[in-house]
């Protein structure tokens, strides 16, 4: 956990704004963060039907500069980096020698020689050690964790509600694209990206901490009466699970590899070399690895992280994430199970307080947004 | 109609320190969680209770109430035999949030010992408890 010298939790620039909105604050990744403002289910619904506003300033932001960044980063991650074009964002995973994941991240290529790397809050200190342990010529690293703000607007009405404050044409910004543009209330152009963690359309705004409250208030002032809701980490977790997106520490860890997490699409084995490549190749070729499966519970009992999972009466694995899924009107979850138990349609049992409840394996995502 | 006190604590009920309410009708008690409890827990998605006929002991953990984020024990404010459970909560657990003292009730207990009600709080005492927490 990231804490200051006294061990106290850190606060984001939006702390007072959260309190003023009646947020319930919880410790997360070393920060005091809003888990909910009104109700997780209400906030979830706002994002699915209209839009929600999130403070993600606890996430780690590293600035990478230099001609060597692409090559350097490719040796530490599973996906390609060097062939990204300026204005492009890409999901990636830093791996260890065993193929396990240090963290899942997004690279934003701002221009030819300047990148933004966004890492998980809970991994920010570890990731700073990972990247600075591999110094390379032509690569300069700056750690802005806790010094910059990140505000996300997520939901089908994001373009409509954000556009009035932004110079760039948001509709023209493609999914997983980023741009530096002027935003009302900021001194300099800021980075806006069409990325998110909810399964909806939306944008993330990277901005100086002292400008965060101004932008947050501006967006809520006009749009809250139309249904823009401030949303906490509780809603965010339900939204990402429904969208089949992994959460570090649950679907992926230092032990659970990206291959096991179902992220083979992000692993580029045609790269000449990267950390963990041999281990991942061996795992792929053996094929008998435990893997993450999506589960739908039969009754009303929610599956929770850590619950044992059984197939044909024998222990087959455990739940890694679980929640009520409002968009699918069922209890959903992920489980790390042996290969046979991960097949679509497989009938499993989840043990909850000593009683086994039926569940079925389904393909993820559980929820896919309707095409516009 | 119940007469509401400050903090929304209804008169005419008894309360436990674990934020359950008890409504007595002769030797049968209806049990639920308070408005303060439902608000602290957040959106309720599941309630697990003992079966009809089960015998429970005062202040034991006898079931769970689950919100989107967390699983919490139900510490029964009274002991005795379960003589009714609210089956509607299976399909509408959100009624615990919207109407904790009405449609959101949990179960009914036939008390095995009336003196146990002396271990519960009056509305005034419960109001004091939540004002201090």
């Amino acid at each position: 956990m990231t804490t200051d010298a006294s061990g106290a939790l850190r606060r984001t620039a939006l702390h007072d704004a959260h309190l003023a909105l009646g947020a319930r604050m919880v410790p997360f990744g070393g920060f005091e963060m809003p888990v909910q403002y009104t109700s997780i289910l209400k906030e979830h619904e706002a994002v699915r039907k209209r839009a929600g506003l999130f403070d993600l300033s606890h996430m780690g932001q590293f600035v990478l500069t230099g001609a060597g960044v692409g090559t350097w980063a490719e040796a530490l991650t599973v996906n390609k980096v060097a062939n990204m074009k300026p204005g492009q964002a890409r999901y990636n995973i830093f791996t260890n020698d065993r193929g396990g994941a240090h963290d899942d991240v997004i690279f934003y290529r701002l221009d030819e020689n300047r990148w933004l790397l966004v890492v998980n809050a809970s991994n920010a200190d570890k990731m700073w050690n990972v990247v600075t342990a591999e110094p390379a010529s032509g690569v300069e690293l700056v750690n802005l964790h806790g010094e910059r703000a990140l505000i996300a607007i997520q939901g089908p009405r994001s373009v409509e509600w954000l556009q009035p404050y932004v110079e760039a044409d948001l509709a023209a910004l493609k999914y997983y694209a980023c741009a530096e543009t002027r935003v009302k209330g900021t001194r300099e152009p800021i980075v806006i990206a069409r990325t998110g963690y909810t399964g909806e359309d939306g944008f993330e705004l990277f901005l100086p901490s002292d400008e965060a409250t101004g932008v947050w208030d501006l967006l809520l002032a006009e749009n809250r009466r139309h249904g823009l809701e401030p949303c906490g980490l509780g809603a965010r977790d339900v939204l990402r699970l429904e969208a089949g997106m992994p959460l570090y520490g649950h679907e992926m860890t230092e032990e659970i590899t990206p291959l096991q997490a179902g992220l083979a699409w992000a692993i580029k084995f045609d790269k000449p070399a990267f950390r963990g490549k041999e281990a991942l190749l061996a795992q792929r070729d053996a094929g008998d690895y435990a893997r993450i499966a999506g589960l739908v519970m039969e009754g009303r009992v929610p599956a929770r992280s850590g619950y044992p999972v059984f197939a044909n009466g024998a222990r087959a694995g455990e739940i890694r994430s679980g929640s009520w899924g409002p968009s699918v009107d069922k209890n959903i979850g992920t489980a790390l199970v042996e290969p046979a138990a991960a097949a679509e349609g497989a009938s499993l049992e989840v043990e909850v307080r000593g009683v086994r409840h039926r569940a079925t394996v389904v393909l993820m995502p559980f929820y896919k947004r309707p095409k516009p | 109609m119940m007469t509401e006190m400050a903090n929304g604590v209804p008169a005419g009920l008894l309360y436990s320190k674990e934020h359950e309410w008890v409504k007595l009708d002769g030797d049968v008690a209806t049990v639920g969680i308070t408005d303060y409890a439902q608000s602290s827990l957040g959106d309720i998605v599941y309630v697990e209770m003992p079966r009809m006929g089960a015998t429970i002991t005062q202040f034991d953990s006898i079931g769970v109430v689950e919100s989107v984020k967390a699983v919490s024990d139900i510490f029964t404010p009274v002991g005795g035999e379960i003589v009714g459970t609210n089956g509607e909560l299976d399909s509408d657990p959100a009624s615990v949030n919207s109407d904790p003292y009405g449609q959101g009730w949990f179960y009914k207990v036939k008390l095995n010992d009336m003196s146990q009600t002396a271990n519960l709080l009056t509305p005034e005492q419960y109001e004091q408890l939540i004002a201090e927490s």
Side-chain angles (χ1 to χ4, degrees):
Chain A
M1 288 233 310
T2 310
T3 50
D4 67 17
S6 69
L9 291 167
R10 298 166 77 180
R11 292 174 171 180
T12 74
L14 290 164
H15 186 80
D16 290 346
H18 300 320
L19 296 186
L21 288 162
R24 185 171 306 165
M25 308 297 286
V26 298
F28 186 86
F31 282 75
E32 211 179 325
M33 296 299 294
V35 66
Q36 66 170 66
Y37 297 83
T38 53
S39 138
I40 291 175
L41 297 182
K42 265 189 212 160
E43 292 163 25
H44 166 279
E45 185 184 68
V47 173
R48 288 279 181 257
K49 296 195 170 151
R50 301 180 305 276
L53 202 60
F54 297 82
D55 176 16
L56 307 174
S57 306
H58 62 311
M59 297 195 73
Q61 298 184 36
F62 303 160
V63 174
L64 323 173
T65 321
V69 170
T71 316
W72 166 83
E74 287 213 359
L76 301 175
T77 59
V78 299
N79 207 341
K80 291 191 179 173
V81 183
N83 69 353
M84 290 171 61
K85 293 181 174 61
Q88 207 183 346
R90 188 174 285 169
Y91 180 79
N92 209 336
I93 298 149
F94 279 81
T95 32
N96 60 38
D97 291 330
R98 293 165 287 124
H102 285 317
D103 198 14
D104 65 336
V105 304
I106 296 179
F107 282 87
Y108 299 85
R109 188 166 200 171
L110 305 178
D111 57 39
E112 191 59 31
N113 288 326
R114 203 159 48 93
W115 317 62
L116 177 63
L117 173 63
V118 176
V119 306
N120 281 299
S122 52
N123 288 335
D125 289 352
K126 177 178 80 178
M127 283 303 295
W128 183 246
N129 290 334
V130 166
V131 296
T132 53
E134 298 293 331
S137 64
V139 181
E140 246 182 86
L141 307 168
V142 178
N143 187 353
L144 296 177
H145 185 219
E147 290 167 32
R148 301 270 296 176
L150 170 50
I151 294 174
I153 181 168
Q154 299 278 302
R157 299 186 71 174
S158 296
V159 172
E160 177 193 343
W161 287 348
L162 180 60
Q163 185 65 75
Y165 311 100
V166 176
E167 197 174 76
D169 178 7
L170 292 178
L173 196 68
K174 293 197 175 90
Y175 186 55
Y176 266 74
C178 59
E180 285 180 277
T181 180
R182 292 199 173 274
V183 173
K184 203 171 165 185
T186 63
R187 293 176 297 267
E188 303 286 331
I190 64 159
V191 177
I192 290 189
R194 201 162 193 168
T195 47
Y197 194 51
T198 60
E200 297 297 333
D201 189 16
F203 300 88
E204 296 183 305
L205 286 67
F206 302 88
L207 65 177
S209 286
D210 64 342
E211 293 174 342
T213 305
V215 171
W216 175 271
D217 288 346
L218 197 63
L219 289 171
L220 279 181
E222 177 59 27
N223 296 314
R224 200 166 187 211
R225 59 198 164 98
H226 301 300
L228 177 67
E229 291 283 343
C231 295
L233 297 180
R236 184 169 154 88
D237 190 41
V238 178
L239 290 158
R240 73 91 195 164
L241 179 61
E242 288 185 336
M245 295 170 159
L247 173 61
Y248 190 88
H250 290 256
E251 284 74 29
M252 214 184 328
T253 66
E254 293 282 348
E255 282 72 44
I256 305 174
T257 70
L259 207 52
Q260 293 177 279
L263 297 164
W265 63 268
I267 308 173
K268 304 301 186 235
F269 284 115
D270 62 336
K271 287 203 294 184
F274 60 89
R275 183 177 290 168
K277 182 180 176 181
E278 290 72 25
L280 288 169
L281 270 176
Q283 188 171 56
R284 183 191 71 175
D285 294 343
D288 59 349
Y289 52 89
R291 61 201 69 190
I292 294 290
L295 293 188
V296 169
M297 300 288 287
E298 236 168 58
R300 291 291 300 210
V301 188
R304 305 278 184 183
S305 190
Y307 287 178
V309 175
F310 297 83
N312 304 314
R315 180 76 190 255
E318 68 165 26
I319 298 291
R320 300 298 304 175
S321 290
S323 176
W324 172 246
S327 303
V328 289
D329 203 29
K330 288 186 172 76
N331 283 302
I332 57 173
T334 63
L336 183 67
V337 290
E338 59 190 48
E344 186 185 4
S347 181
L348 304 178
E349 287 181 305
V350 180
E351 190 174 296
V352 184
R353 294 177 287 277
V355 179
R356 293 186 191 178
H357 298 265
R358 286 170 64 94
T360 305
V361 174
V362 298
L363 291 182
M364 288 193 281
F366 300 99
Y367 164 87
K368 209 167 187 173
R369 70 171 178 262
K371 291 255 190 263
Chain B
M1 281 299 274
M2 290 171 184
T3 320
E4 283 214 350
M5 318 276 293
N7 285 323
V9 175
L13 305 180
L14 294 170
Y15 298 88
S16 75
K17 287 176 180 160
E18 302 288 349
H19 306 285
E20 278 101 12
W21 56 262
V22 174
K23 185 185 182 190
L24 280 171
D25 182 6
D27 63 351
V28 173
T30 305
V31 174
I33 61 170
T34 66
D35 186 56
Y36 176 87
Q38 70 76 20
S39 167
S40 305
L41 292 169
D43 299 297
I44 308 294
V45 295
Y46 180 68
V47 182
E48 192 167 280
M49 293 176 284
R51 292 204 171 78
M52 287 284 286
T55 301
I56 57 175
T57 304
Q58 188 177 33
F59 302 136
D60 273 6
S61 168
I62 52 87
V64 297
V65 53
E66 300 203 25
S67 66
V68 177
K69 287 300 282 180
V71 184
S72 307
D73 285 308
I74 303 170
F75 295 97
T76 185
V78 286
E81 185 192 342
I82 298 279
V83 293
T85 57
N86 185 354
E88 299 294 314
L89 295 185
D90 271 349
S91 56
D92 185 21
S95 65
V96 178
N97 295 114
S98 57
D99 190 12
Y101 298 109
Q103 287 181 15
W105 67 278
F106 282 8
Y107 53 89
K108 292 179 192 289
V109 183
K110 188 172 165 57
L111 269 58
N112 49 11
D113 173 7
M114 289 303 285
S115 72
Q116 55 182 310
T117 58
N119 303 326
L120 299 173
L121 306 176
T122 65
E124 291 77 13
Q125 289 169 325
Y126 182 66
E127 205 183 313
Q128 182 75 20
L129 180 84
I130 58 175
E132 285 165 2
S133 57

